[in-house]
Amino acid sequence: MLQTWDKPRRPSPAIILTGFLKAAKELAGFLFLFLVSTFLRKGKAGSDGNEVEKFPWILLSFLAGIIIIVSQKAIEWYFTRYWLEGEKLILAKGMLVKRRIELPLQKIQTIQIHQNFLHRLTNTCAITMDTAGSEKTEFEIEAIRTGDAQDLQQWVRSLQQETQPIEKNAENTEAKALLQLGFNDFVKLCISENHFKSLALIALFVLGKAYDFSQQLGFDTKGFISKQSSAFEVSFWSAGILLSIALGIAIIFSSIKVILRFYDYRLQQTKSAYEMAWGLFTRHRKTIPFEKVEFISWWANWLRQKMDLYVLRLHSLAESETQQAMHIQLPVTSKKMLTHLSGTYIPVLPAESGTAVSGIQMAYLFRKILMIGLPVTLLTGGIAWFYVQWHACWVLVWLLYFTASQFIFYKNYRIWITDEAIQISRGTWGKEQVVIYLDKMVHVSIRTTPYQRSNGYANLELHLPGKSWIIPYLAKEQADYWADYITLKMEE
Amino acid sequence: MTFSNPSLQPDDIPKYSSLELQQVHYSFKKIMLIERGILWLVLSAGATAIIITRSGAGKPWWILGGGILLTLILAVLLFTAIKSFQNMGYALRKHDLVFRKGWLFEKLHIIPLKKIQHCQVKRGPLERRYGLASLKIFTAGGTGADITLSGLTQQDAERLKDWLVISPGEPINTIPV
């Protein structure tokens, strides 16, 4: 049974425990490094021999750090209250500086529940709510009883619907399962991950740790790496083996990432919202009402296209482009499923029923080569000439690659418009599609350079709350016509 | 209320390109020129400091070359300011606001009035000196203004703000001065 939320209440005291464990983990890391470096430096040049004597003081500082953090968390817990007041959710906190955050229920876009390992131990979770007004999360409670979080989520959603007459009597409890991942889907996801990115992440992590190691222990990591690399005999087989090992590690790393992220992935649809849950160690639950979905997009790299695998993203007003954790991304494992899921947002895609706008003009390609490709080639080639003479010509390979990729991008760019939505398809090696309802846009603009003005081209910019889409190099008359048309549809 | 949704022919769609845009106040040209002048002075001070410290004051080619370059930069800054001013303009329609700015990179915005969330009148020191104001127009989401309509008299900026927020679509002369 749902409880009422009109009386102020505190978060769970587990907030103090989670704060303590987080602080202890961080401080223990520093303490460990100190201990290792102290004992390894003992007796070496530069050591004053007093490291062991300093230890009790370091330990004392460690304990003082823990006490300060725990006290701060305890004060935060004691002075934090949240409750529902009319059509607003209130969060009040702070001892010396009092803060009161009021969130109008209608402005709440997404509600997220996260449950990490510590939360599970204490039967709590973290809850966040976002509105369209700010890129930061406005409402966040680090630890709340799991049942309370779900109850509060239900309350907020039901109160939101009461102020919308169409949904007033809608039965919201029946949920229809839309998506669940099986073993084969996991295999597809693991294989098609970006392994180069994983490799780069591993390399960055290892280099970062090596730097820390050399700083803390005075170990010459750079010299060690350089000595090992010069001793390494480069041959076809040794390079092949090294590459295979690197690729193997990258695949294992990517697979672990996929499993951690998509473990027990569930997407379901209620009468008014999408609900999703995912994650192995940290479990996330997110709800987004249909009307809060601004637009949808999906993409697949070359390999994923071949494997019929896509990532569908539901874009909402509240999310920030830079905070990937806020993005709602769904792995979709077949074209049929993709059609089904996109159908819940827009029944018929503009590509299937709309007018095809002739794509971007050939001048786009020439200008890209002239303004980016050639200057970069000449500059890097010119500099390289002083060092490697004729080998500098290799930079022409990059120019060829750049030209080919821009040509493919130009050929792939497609636009369709109906009287209610626009669909854009673009991409070079992969493909991205975006569908936007015209009335979700907030304004349009036409951008031109002197070259475009004298040759009859223009960029059409479609502005959504917090985001913009640029369609480059349309014929000027066409850009003008679509700007007028979209404006009319926004105003209707 | 009866809902009607008549079909439209391409020629029936209102065209922004046929609009006569209203120029902003002529004093705004002075502000643009002064702002570019200040930018040029800052650049010149930096360049002079580099020339003196790097090459010494006794190398006339450096001074001559730097002088010619700075004069050219000043000419370009002033020329683009004048062209941008000439190109700047706005128009009000029953359902939207059209605003054009820039010369090298010209941008024309069409903002439906019903999408405007709030407006803000801003007056910098130079604008106060010439009795002008800028009107910042905000739509949903985002962190900053969607457009800033500069070069309005303070009176026009206030009236336009009230019209956009309180009674968009009504004749603007119904807003009290």
Side-chain angles (χ1 to χ4, degrees):
Chain A
M1 200 181 117
L2 295 180
Q3 49 192 316
T4 55
W5 287 89
D6 51 356
K7 289 200 172 58
R9 57 177 74 192
R10 287 197 186 95
S12 162
I15 201 169
I16 305 168
L17 180 70
T18 52
F20 161 73
L21 289 173
K22 266 187 201 168
K25 190 183 141 205
E26 291 295 320
L27 291 171
F30 285 117
L31 194 67
F32 175 74
L33 270 176
F34 171 79
L35 286 177
V36 174
S37 65
T38 304
F39 286 107
L40 285 180
R41 273 183 189 177
K42 206 176 160 189
K44 278 191 180 177
S47 163
D48 56 8
N50 292 329
E51 284 92 346
V52 181
E53 285 167 27
K54 286 180 193 164
F55 183 69
W57 292 105
I58 298 287
L59 197 65
L60 213 61
S61 317
F62 171 77
L63 289 173
I66 298 259
I67 291 167
I68 291 169
I69 290 166
V70 169
S71 314
Q72 187 220 333
K73 280 284 165 192
I75 292 168
E76 186 188 320
W77 167 75
Y78 188 78
F79 287 97
T80 302
R81 300 273 198 290
Y82 61 96
W83 68 98
L84 281 169
E85 194 176 282
E87 288 178 8
K88 278 184 284 187
L89 178 64
I90 317 283
L91 175 69
K93 54 185 178 181
M95 184 178 72
L96 299 174
V97 181
K98 301 275 182 197
R99 281 181 66 203
R100 185 183 156 104
I101 298 159
E102 295 189 5
L103 285 190
L105 296 181
Q106 287 308 310
K107 300 283 178 192
I108 294 171
Q109 302 281 324
T110 53
I111 302 176
Q112 290 198 67
I113 292 173
H114 312 276
Q115 196 176 39
N116 62 26
F117 189 67
L118 282 177
H119 284 127
R120 280 190 213 185
L121 282 180
T122 51
N123 190 28
T124 57
C125 59
I127 186 164
T128 59
M129 297 190 201
D130 299 292
T131 71
S134 160
E135 290 212 337
K136 280 190 267 178
T137 297
E138 282 100 338
F139 183 95
E140 182 171 19
I141 297 176
E142 281 178 44
I144 174 173
R145 235 170 38 83
T146 309
D148 285 355
Q150 285 163 354
D151 199 31
L152 180 63
Q153 184 185 26
Q154 245 178 303
W155 260 95
V156 171
R157 287 297 174 220
S158 60
L159 286 172
Q160 276 186 329
Q161 285 164 38
E162 267 174 24
T163 46
Q164 291 170 7
I166 301 166
E167 295 290 329
K168 191 173 180 179
N169 297 319
E171 181 53 60
N172 201 25
T173 48
E174 278 176 32
K176 192 171 92 182
L178 290 178
L179 182 70
Q180 248 178 304
L181 297 177
F183 178 75
N184 288 345
D185 302 327
F186 265 103
V187 172
K188 276 160 109 181
L189 278 167
C190 291
I191 292 171
S192 60
E193 264 291 287
N194 188 342
H195 302 302
F196 292 109
K197 193 177 157 190
S198 302
L199 203 58
L201 283 174
I202 296 169
L204 279 175
F205 176 78
V206 170
L207 285 174
K209 284 288 163 200
Y211 178 75
D212 284 352
F213 205 58
S214 59
Q215 289 286 309
Q216 296 288 333
L217 307 180
F219 182 74
D220 182 15
T221 318
K222 205 174 162 188
F224 177 78
I225 294 172
S226 131
K227 200 176 160 188
Q228 292 302 312
S229 5
S230 53
F232 183 75
E233 207 174 301
V234 180
S235 70
F236 178 77
W237 289 108
S238 60
I241 290 167
L242 202 67
L243 270 176
S244 309
I245 292 171
L247 192 66
I249 293 172
I251 290 174
I252 292 168
F253 182 74
S254 304
S255 306
I256 293 171
K257 257 188 357 178
V258 166
I259 292 165
L260 287 180
R261 180 148 189 217
F262 294 116
Y263 178 79
D264 195 17
Y265 198 101
R266 287 159 195 272
L267 170 70
Q268 54 185 26
Q269 181 185 358
T270 64
K271 281 269 161 71
S272 60
Y274 294 109
E275 288 180 357
M276 54 215 83
W278 70 93
L280 180 62
F281 291 130
T282 302
R283 191 94 187 123
H284 305 267
R285 282 195 193 88
K286 199 165 194 169
T287 310
I288 175 167
F290 300 141
E291 73 274 9
K292 306 291 184 195
V293 178
E294 250 192 294
F295 65 99
I296 60 166
S297 66
W298 62 92
W299 68 94
N301 59 30
W302 178 82
L303 190 59
R304 283 187 172 167
Q305 275 180 296
K306 300 286 164 212
M307 295 168 89
D308 205 15
L309 188 68
Y310 310 85
V311 177
L312 176 71
R313 183 168 161 201
L314 308 176
H315 300 254
S316 76
L317 258 177
E319 69 191 28
S320 151
E321 277 305 300
T322 48
Q323 287 181 297
Q324 260 206 322
M326 287 172 83
H327 298 176
I328 304 168
Q329 296 182 350
L330 320 170
V332 183
T333 49
S334 70
K335 186 88 184 166
K336 198 175 152 196
M337 177 57 73
L338 181 68
T339 313
H340 177 67
L341 287 173
S342 64
T344 59
Y345 174 75
I346 182 164
V348 184
L349 290 172
E352 291 160 13
S353 63
T355 311
V357 177
S358 49
I360 55 179
Q361 302 292 308
M362 190 67 154
Y364 167 83
L365 178 64
F366 295 135
R367 294 297 288 181
K368 279 275 175 184
I369 295 169
L370 191 70
M371 303 303 286
I372 299 173
L374 283 176
V376 170
T377 308
L378 289 174
L379 193 71
T380 48
I383 294 167
W385 175 264
F386 289 105
Y387 295 97
V388 289
Q389 286 77 47
W390 285 105
H391 289 295
C393 294
W394 281 103
V395 80
L396 290 172
V397 176
W398 177 83
L399 182 64
L400 274 176
Y401 168 80
F402 180 80
T403 308
S405 57
Q406 290 302 319
F407 179 74
I408 296 167
F409 183 82
Y410 153 75
K411 290 294 276 180
N412 282 349
Y413 211 104
R414 293 278 178 281
I415 307 149
W416 299 270
I417 299 187
T418 63
D419 60 354
E420 61 175 7
I422 183 170
Q423 182 172 351
I424 300 166
S425 170
R426 65 176 195 176
T428 306
W429 308 115
K431 198 171 267 187
E432 182 185 22
Q433 307 239 18
V434 55
V435 182
I436 311 167
Y437 274 114
L438 302 181
D439 64 351
K440 295 273 185 186
M441 291 177 204
V442 288
H443 85 269
V444 289
S445 54
I446 303 265
R447 191 168 189 255
T448 52
T449 61
Y451 170 80
Q452 286 178 316
R453 284 196 289 279
S454 56
N455 290 281
Y457 303 118
N459 295 351
L460 176 64
E461 298 186 356
L462 312 173
H463 301 273
L464 289 132
K467 300 175 192 84
S468 294
W469 278 89
I470 300 169
I471 304 175
Y473 278 84
L474 287 174
K476 178 74 167 65
E477 305 84 54
Q478 201 174 30
D480 285 347
Y481 175 76
W482 289 117
D484 287 328
Y485 181 79
I486 293 168
T487 304
L488 182 75
K489 292 291 167 189
M490 278 192 279
E491 288 165 355
E492 270 180 4
Chain B
M1 195 174 80
T2 322
F3 175 74
S4 66
N5 192 12
S7 65
L8 280 171
Q9 294 303 313
D11 287 342
D12 297 338
I13 296 171
K15 292 177 181 60
Y16 82 82
S17 49
S18 59
L19 280 172
E20 279 286 323
L21 298 188
Q22 188 180 331
Q23 267 228 316
V24 298
H25 198 274
Y26 67 90
S27 295
F28 190 62
K29 186 157 85 176
K30 290 179 198 163
I31 295 179
M32 288 179 86
L33 291 172
I34 293 169
E35 281 175 350
R36 306 275 168 121
I38 293 169
L39 175 68
W40 180 79
L41 279 175
V42 173
L43 275 176
S44 307
T48 311
I50 290 170
I51 289 171
I52 291 170
T53 51
R54 287 286 168 127
S55 64
K59 292 188 180 171
W61 286 112
W62 273 94
I63 297 164
L64 184 68
I68 292 172
L69 189 67
L70 284 171
T71 314
L72 271 175
I73 291 173
L74 179 65
V76 170
L77 284 172
L78 296 182
F79 177 74
T80 51
I82 293 166
K83 293 299 276 183
S84 297
F85 173 77
Q86 288 169 348
N87 213 26
M88 191 181 274
Y90 67 97
L92 302 171
R93 293 194 288 188
K94 190 171 173 25
H95 297 293
D96 50 51
L97 168 75
V98 179
F99 174 55
R100 186 178 64 201
K101 67 167 193 175
W103 170 71
L104 204 56
F105 299 102
E106 183 189 293
K107 204 161 180 182
L108 185 135
H109 298 266
I110 312 171
I111 303 193
L113 303 184
K114 74 177 202 182
K115 300 283 181 181
I116 294 173
Q117 296 279 325
H118 71 280
C119 299
Q120 184 187 330
V121 174
K122 190 204 99 191
R123 300 186 79 205
L126 282 172
E127 285 171 316
R128 286 201 296 274
R129 165 76 180 80
Y130 289 99
L132 299 183
S134 298
L135 182 66
K136 289 181 157 199
I137 297 171
F138 297 80
T139 60
T143 46
D146 286 53
I147 62 165
T148 302
L149 199 54
S150 306
L152 301 171
T153 61
Q154 193 194 353
Q155 203 180 40
D156 281 350
E158 295 288 352
R159 279 182 74 198
L160 199 53
K161 183 193 78 176
D162 291 343
W163 182 71
L164 289 171
V165 177
I166 301 165
S167 48
E170 299 296 317
I172 194 163
N173 53 19
T174 57
I175 299 292
V177 178

